[in-house]
Amino acid sequence: MASNKEAGPLDITTAAPEDTQGDGIKSRQDQEEKLILTAWQSMSSALQQNSVFKDYKAPGPAQSFLAKQRQSTQARRALSLRLQPR
């Protein structure tokens, strides 16, 4: 009976490898999660810096929405006049 008790499902020697494997999986998942978060933060930072630099590169004075619309309409009209056959 003593041998059956040692080989039972509650034996520490048989439960230990499962626990270490579970810990290994958990630690790997934690590492992957940290890498994903780091990559996400890095990408977000790069995109934010890129958009900030685009704002600084805008030439000329600030324009209202209507002024921008007028400019784009005038540019389209000028382009369509150039493309029309005479």
Side-chain angles (χ1 to χ4, degrees):
M1 283 191 126
S3 62
N4 286 343
K5 193 173 190 180
E6 289 176 9
L10 298 177
D11 188 16
I12 295 174
T13 58
T14 58
E18 293 172 2
D19 289 341
T20 58
Q21 187 179 17
D23 291 341
I25 291 171
K26 178 69 174 164
S27 99
R28 182 174 178 168
Q29 287 175 344
D30 289 344
Q31 287 176 337
E32 288 177 359
E33 185 176 333
K34 287 177 186 177
L35 286 172
I36 290 170
L37 288 174
T38 302
W40 181 262
Q41 289 171 345
S42 179
M43 184 181 69
S44 298
S45 177
L47 288 173
Q48 186 177 14
Q49 286 178 354
N50 190 18
S51 68
V52 167
F53 288 135
K54 282 183 181 179
D55 291 342
Y56 285 130
K57 291 180 183 177
Q63 293 182 334
S64 68
F65 173 77
L66 289 175
K68 291 178 185 177
Q69 292 301 311
R70 287 186 197 110
Q71 275 187 338
S72 64
T73 302
Q74 290 172 353
R76 277 193 306 251
R77 285 184 185 157
L79 182 62
S80 67
L81 290 175
R82 279 189 254 149
L83 294 177
Q84 287 180 347
R86 295 183 185 188

